[in-house]
Amino acid sequence: MPLVLSMGEPAGIGPEIIVKAWQALRSDGPRFAVLGDARTLQALGAPVRSILSVGDAQPVFGDALPVIDQPLSSPVVPGRPDIANAGAVADWIAMAVDRVLGGEASGLVTAPIAKAPLYAAGFRFPGHTEFIAELTADVPHPGTRGPVMMLTARDLRACLVTIHTAIRDVPELVTTERVSRVSRVVHEAMRRDFGIARPRLALAALNPHAGEGGAIGLEEVEILRPVAKALRAEGIAITDPLPADTLFHDEARATYDAAICLYHDQALIPVKTLDFWGGVNTTLGLPIVRTSPDHGVGFDIAGQGIARPDSLIAAIRLADTMAAARAV
């Protein structure tokens, strides 16, 4: 069953990398249909085929980029987002989610969106992740409910307890409830979405040297070690908090299937160091599979033909792998 791909911000690099991803995958890669504006994609020189159902993408994918056409109301100027098109961008995401929930698509890949025009048009969610969580909130989910953000690069899966949070606010948000919930979501996702029967989780410490027994902070003693012990009692294989500066080298990564990271840069720095161009953002703990490129809209290079599709291609491949695991 094909994936569905929401086109994202039309004035950014999304349309360009979608066309390049289709060109790279058309022969033997995962099949997908784009939900977005066919005219914008045609303007990039892609042979576009308008379809009505995601399933219609399968027979035409090798010859043309399949698009479920939902036209924009305003012309697209690369690098210059238009508030008049913001409503369509949000609608594409919602429609794509509906196609997955209806069984028409196996999973969702989202091209990057620009927050400012969406907010100006009344969009009330911080971003994709929270919007998709709301759209799927009433749908049954067999396990602990997310959303949990996971970033992947090569053999690293880094999962976040806090996301876009100021460093000064992180300690008070690293709570027993948050760390426990994220760890359960990740444990269940490793089994359901990645086919790992006995997942091994590594818990990153908050403080340098894992707090040095309380000499450099008490979070490890008062919160993280008790949480890890309680999770192990539930049958989840998770380490005590480990110093983050020794958690991500090659030998260390071989000892776990996913790392539970406590703040943004603790996860993103190793991910981007390992594979700056090919990282993928995945949302765990939802009733649907959802992945996205790990980069933004690229207004500064939009329309120049130089955007790299590596991350989108990796996101498409990962969504296909996760959907296949769920189908077993």
Side-chain angles (χ1 to χ4, degrees), residues 139-170:
V139 180
H141 174 63
T144 307
R145 176 74 65 160
V148 168
M149 181 182 290
M150 178 178 76
L151 291 307
T152 59
R154 286 172 43 188
D155 59 346
L156 174 61
R157 303 181 185 98
C159 308
L160 287 164
V161 172
T162 68
I163 305 176
H164 297 120
T165 301
I167 288 293
R168 66 175 178 272
D169 298 329
V170 168

Side-chain angles (χ1 to χ4, degrees), residues 179-240:
V179 178
S180 297
R181 182 183 64 83
V182 169
S183 300
R184 292 188 188 105
V185 168
V186 174
H187 172 78
E188 293 163 9
M190 291 301 105
R191 298 178 66 182
R192 181 181 61 251
D193 297 334
F194 293 88
I196 301 171
R198 296 179 178 82
R200 303 162 301 163
L201 307 185
L203 177 60
L206 178 64
N207 295 298
H209 302 179
E212 290 274 15
I216 317 178
L218 295 172
E219 286 83 4
E220 287 75 18
V221 174
E222 295 179 348
I223 298 171
L224 297 176
R225 283 181 188 153
V227 165
K229 182 178 179 180
L231 289 168
R232 287 194 293 269
E234 297 177 14
I236 296 175
I238 187 169
T239 67
D240 281 335

Side-chain angles (χ1 to χ4, degrees), residues 32-201:
F32 62 85
V34 181
L35 208 156
D37 181 64
R39 182 176 56 182
T40 299
L41 295 165
Q42 282 178 318
L44 293 169
V48 168
R49 184 77 56 85
S50 290
I51 58 173
L52 298 177
S53 168
V54 175
D56 296 336
Q58 191 73 36
V60 305
F61 193 82
D63 299 316
L65 176 60
V67 180
I68 300 172
D69 189 24
Q70 298 292 322
L72 293 167
S73 59
S74 182
V76 175
V77 179
R80 296 176 60 184
D82 191 335
I83 294 173
N85 289 330
V89 172
D91 288 344
W92 293 338
I93 300 166
M95 291 175 188
V97 169
D98 283 344
R99 301 281 177 146
V100 182
L101 291 176
E104 190 178 314
S106 59
L108 168 64
V109 181
T110 56
I113 57 174
K115 310 291 178 58
L118 285 170
Y119 294 160
F123 189 74
R124 61 183 179 84
F125 299 92
H128 263 127
T129 300
E130 296 81 4
F131 185 36
I132 295 169
E134 174 76 11
L135 292 170
T136 59
D138 296 330
V139 180
H141 174 63
T144 307
R145 176 74 65 160
V148 168
M149 181 182 290
M150 178 178 76
L151 291 307
T152 59
R154 286 172 43 188
D155 59 346
L156 174 61
R157 303 181 185 98
C159 308
L160 287 164
V161 172
T162 68
I163 305 176
H164 297 120
T165 301
I167 288 293
R168 66 175 178 272
D169 298 329
V170 168
E172 67 184 47
L173 296 176
V174 177
T175 63
T176 297
E177 188 280 328
R178 279 177 180 265
V179 178
S180 297
R181 182 183 64 83
V182 169
S183 300
R184 292 188 188 105
V185 168
V186 174
H187 172 78
E188 293 163 9
M190 291 301 105
R191 298 178 66 182
R192 181 181 61 251
D193 297 334
F194 293 88
I196 301 171
R198 296 179 178 82
R200 303 162 301 163
L201 307 185

